[in-house]
């Protein structure tokens, strides 16, 4: 039986048919002119989306590999680093640093809360006069709890301290505001299978001039993740080792689709869908996990109903409704459900999710009137997509003048 | 204009349409039951092809990433290692070890020659009484020169020494004899885009029980390439970080096609096509680069005609004949042409290559009678594929008895 899945996990995200088809093109020589053109175009497109003129280096790895590259290329053994963590991926960032002998001190914020820029300021103030941290590490979008950290404000604090600023934006870039150059982010990591809607296999790492200076002093071993080798190879439009060619081709196609929509529209769509999702969940009395002021545009975490194991709810969604969501990670296992609205996601996907969730809740003997969550979702989306008062004017403004249309033809 | 390429580089190799189509299936949850079944089946199939019961761990990386994992998981900083090198990939193996602070001593064999097991014996004998190397590192198939090292015989010598044996078989596994368990190889690396005929993005690393003992003592930093994390995740049929799902799915499909042919037949096909290629090249007076006794089944390197820059020949093959071959690497740039017969390659691909080469040689004012190389190739292939005398008997033996056919229906 044909049973398409509604893949609502925070990566791998749904990959459009056009992107899948691109990934299935015949292989090409990774040392030839076609790949050179591909890599140059990809790099330029990523710089545009990441709002940076820094180097953007494409690794054949998952986002975790990119996080490792960020650390191994800028720090040395024994260096101190401050890691602000509010979930599993903050913990992972610290663990990677520690595995390389970096003296990483983790400052934890309770799960579901965001990292407060004032906390960062206080922790940095404690270091005055001491040989303090060389770098500050922060997760942009904490996928495990559904929190978007205020990186813009944190960046202001970190910039004042003069320390290196390493940001894991694996699941934040491409779906939320991120101004790498303007905010002064030295190293930023993202990955193909998140907002970019391509298959997993490519990690992207940006390096500022300051990061390259840190590279010169870094003594951590690096070979596969040696970013200077990537930069040197990029000057010949190549990669040091064989890249995941089909993933790169797919990524180029997904970036093309994203460019058609435009980054601002993409960010607005994510905000709208995230808010609509939260309203739908609240309409069926499910408790949101994250502080709403810092709710993630990529993924929403919620508690299962009382006396329901999240794993059971997730299993019913999957087995009976072909709707694939994520559970809690680490110590949150069984206690959280995470539904993603990341990448090429539409209102229809969210409505489909809620149709599955409403029926699942009834299976679990929860008092749910069918359609309640969906109605709330649609209402919230309609409000966010175009406020009724502003609508006619906005439409008129969006319509190109007649001669512009003529020119386009 | 429709201009299909004849991709004759030693990886990425040609990927069959069925494998490309598999790679373009909708994405799945890498933490769900479908991926679990895929990873378990892939691991089992790879163990079969690699003739091992050791752990086979699938990394999202190129082969170079797998080589780094082999080193980072078994050695410590300051450990001595002996690297026998006969080309660019032997040099890379040593360079990776050195980047991790391993005291890697490289024993070089001239390009085009194989590593003699007696050389390995002599070098190991020199270490008697001293604190010698902890590991011996060897390239199985040296892609840069077209040499297949006699790993079976080298293994005998290494086994006697009690040292760890790390083998880069990135381009050797799946196209040549390789008995990981029987020969006593502790760590072996291969990669999806070589003999396996899948897109690049997956590296496979095997770990023997002895290698796991070495892991316990290894102090090199590792996180993304920490093989113990892969082993622990594999017990739950997962990977530690997001895997290149579409590449894994493609690899399963290509392994299915390979299982239909059978490993022995695949190895024989590679030997036949490699020999046929050498005979074709010799028929147009091109000089083979590698010692024929150790000629690679994966790739054949040859010198361009006198006073012809290899890059020029390669460019004409590409631009005028859509035939993509590789050049010399490193110090051999401009001096070598390398044509691959690796993976899902047929006699027709080789004939097509020679039709392009013959015309290219004429363009370069070389005296070549059209068809000469192709005739020699076909003759050599016919001899190797089934010696005339043995043919009828072999055919009879290959035909299954009537009841077997009935059963299969």
């Amino acid at each position: 039986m044909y049973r398409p899945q509604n893949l609502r996990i925070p990566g791998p995200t749904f990959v459009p048919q056009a992107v899948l088809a691109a990934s299935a093109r015949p292989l090409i020589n990774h040392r030839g002119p076609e790949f050179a053109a591909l890599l140059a175009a990809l790099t330029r497109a990523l710089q545009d989306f990441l709002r940076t003129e820094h180097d953007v280096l494409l690794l054949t790895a998952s986002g975790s590999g990119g996080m490792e590259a960020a650390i191994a290329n800028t720090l040395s053994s024994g260096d101190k680093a401050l890691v602000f963590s509010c979930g599993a991926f903050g913990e992972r960032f610290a663990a990677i640093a520690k595995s390389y002998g970096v003296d990483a001190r983790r400052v934890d914020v309770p799960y579901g809360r965001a990292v407060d820029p004032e906390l960062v300021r206080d922790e940095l103030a404690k270091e005055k006069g001491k040989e303090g941290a060389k770098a500050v590490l922060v997760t942009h979008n904490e996928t495990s709890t559904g929190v978007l950290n205020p990186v813009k404000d944190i960046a202001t604090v970190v910039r004042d301290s003069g320390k290196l600023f390493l940001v894991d934006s694996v699941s934040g870039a491409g779906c939320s505001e991120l101004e790498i150059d303007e905010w002064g982010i030295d190293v930023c990591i993202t990955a193909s299978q998140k907002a970019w809607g391509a298959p997993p296999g490519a990690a992207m790492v940006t390096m500022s001039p300051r990061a390259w200076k840190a590279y010169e002093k870094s003594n951590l071993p690096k070979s596969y993740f040696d970013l200077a080798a990537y930069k040197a190879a990029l000057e010949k439009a190549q990669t040091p080792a064989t890249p995941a060619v089909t993933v790169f081709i797919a990524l180029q196609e997904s970036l093309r689709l994203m460019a058609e929509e435009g980054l601002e529209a993409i960010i607005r769509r994510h905000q709208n869908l995230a808010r609509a999702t939260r309203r739908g969940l609240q309409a069926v009395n499910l408790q949101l996990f994250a502080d709403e002021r810092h709710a993630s545009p990529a993924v929403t975490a919620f508690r299962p109903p009382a006396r329901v194991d999240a794993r059971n709810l997730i299993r019913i969604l999957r087995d009976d409704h072909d709707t694939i969501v994520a559970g809690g990670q680490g110590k949150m296992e069984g206690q959280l459900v995470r539904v993603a609205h990341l990448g090429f996601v539409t209102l229809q996907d969210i409505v489909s999710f809620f149709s599955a969730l409403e029926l699942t809740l009834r299976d679990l003997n929860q008092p749910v009137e069918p359609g309640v969550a969906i109605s709330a979702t649609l209402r919230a989306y309609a409000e966010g997509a175009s406020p009724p008062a502003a609508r006619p004017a906005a439409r008129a403004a969006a319509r190109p003048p007649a001669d512009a249309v003529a020119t386009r033809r």
Side-chain angles (χ1 to χ4, degrees), chain A:
Chain A
M1 186 187 155
Y2 174 61
R3 294 178 62 168
Q5 289 187 343
N6 188 6
L7 190 67
R8 300 263 58 82
I9 58 170
T13 55
F14 169 79
V15 177
Q17 181 55 37
V19 178
L20 289 173
S23 80
R25 286 187 201 140
L27 270 285
I28 56 173
N29 181 6
H30 62 302
R31 303 290 186 214
E34 284 160 287
F35 183 80
L38 166 71
L39 187 60
L42 252 184
T43 304
R44 185 63 250 170
L46 285 166
Q47 284 176 317
D48 288 347
F49 274 108
L50 296 170
R51 312 273 297 156
T52 188
E53 290 300 320
H54 297 167
D55 292 305
V56 178
L57 305 161
L58 274 142
L59 318 180
T60 293
S62 80
S64 297
M67 290 159 75
E68 180 162 334
I71 291 162
N73 283 274
T74 57
L75 299 175
S76 293
S77 53
D79 272 356
K80 289 184 201 301
L82 261 174
V83 186
F84 292 91
S85 170
C86 61
F89 287 94
E91 291 159 20
R92 183 177 292 190
F93 217 176
I96 295 169
K98 281 180 188 162
S99 76
Y100 270 80
V102 170
D103 183 5
R105 183 162 72 84
R106 217 172 78 197
V107 180
D108 285 350
V109 166
Y111 279 25
R113 308 287 288 273
V115 174
D116 188 333
E118 290 311 309
L119 173 70
V120 178
R121 191 186 305 277
D122 292 348
E123 291 293 336
L124 287 172
K126 283 185 198 166
E127 298 206 323
K128 289 259 166 70
K130 295 187 228 171
E131 200 220 333
K134 192 173 164 198
V136 173
L137 280 63
V138 169
T139 317
H140 186 196
N141 184 69
E142 177 53 68
T143 316
S144 72
T145 61
V147 164
L148 186 77
N149 280 313
V151 168
K152 183 181 183 178
D153 296 334
I154 295 170
T156 308
V157 178
V158 176
R159 212 163 48 231
D160 289 346
S161 75
K163 297 184 192 299
L164 273 184
F165 192 29
L166 276 50
V167 176
D168 157 12
S169 191
V170 170
S171 61
C175 72
S176 62
E177 196 194 358
L178 175 67
E179 296 280 345
I180 288 182
D181 291 4
E182 195 186 309
W183 299 355
I185 297 172
D186 292 302
V187 189
C188 188
I189 309 113
T190 183
S192 55
Q193 81 279 14
K194 301 292 185 178
W196 314 105
M204 295 79 103
V205 184
T206 71
M207 287 282 283
S208 74
R210 262 161 48 99
W212 284 120
K213 274 205 187 114
Y215 175 94
E216 295 303 326
K217 290 182 194 154
S218 160
N219 71 5
L220 295 178
K222 44 196 162 278
S223 174
Y224 188 73
F225 291 131
D226 185 343
L227 295 178
Y230 282 83
K231 185 174 161 70
L234 186 57
E235 275 155 26
K236 298 184 288 174
Q238 293 188 359
T239 54
T242 310
V245 175
T246 57
V247 176
F248 283 34
I249 293 175
L251 182 59
Q252 188 182 37
E253 178 65 14
S254 62
L255 290 175
R256 197 185 61 72
L257 294 177
M258 287 176 71
E260 282 180 6
E261 185 177 3
L263 182 57
E264 278 182 41
I266 291 170
I267 293 172
R268 223 179 310 126
R269 173 168 56 80
H270 278 85
Q271 286 168 344
N272 288 343
L273 290 174
R275 199 190 47 256
T277 302
R278 294 197 299 275
R279 297 296 161 263
L281 292 167
Q282 287 172 322
V284 287
N285 299 315
L286 290 167
Q287 191 192 332
L288 302 178
F289 185 65
D291 178 353
E292 176 134 11
R293 291 167 303 171
H294 299 285
S296 165
V299 59
T300 298
F302 60 95
R303 299 267 192 192
R307 288 175 302 280
V308 169
D309 189 308
R311 285 168 287 204
N312 197 21
L313 189 153
I314 291 165
R315 194 183 46 70
I316 298 173
L317 279 172
R318 182 189 75 204
D319 293 348
D320 296 352
H321 304 289
D322 301 300
T323 297
I324 316 296
V325 298
Q329 285 174 292
K331 64 183 181 190
M332 299 309 294
E333 202 176 328
Q335 298 179 55
L336 280 187
V337 182
R338 294 180 299 137
V339 53
H341 24 75
L342 176 59
F344 291 103
V345 57
T346 64
L347 178 63
Q348 286 66 40
D349 296 320
I350 302 303
V351 168
S352 164
F353 161 73
F354 275 114
S355 70
L357 181 66
E358 289 183 357
L359 295 179
T360 299
L361 289 172
R362 286 170 69 93
D363 281 349
L364 291 165
N365 299 315
Q366 302 298 312
V368 169
E369 195 56 43
V372 164
I374 290 176
S375 304
T377 300
L378 293 178
R379 268 196 307 277
Y381 185 81
E383 283 161 24
S386 53
R391 205 186 294 155
R395 279 217 179 135
R399 198 182 301 138
D403 60 337
V405 172
T407 307
R408 276 176 59 195
R409 280 181 189 165

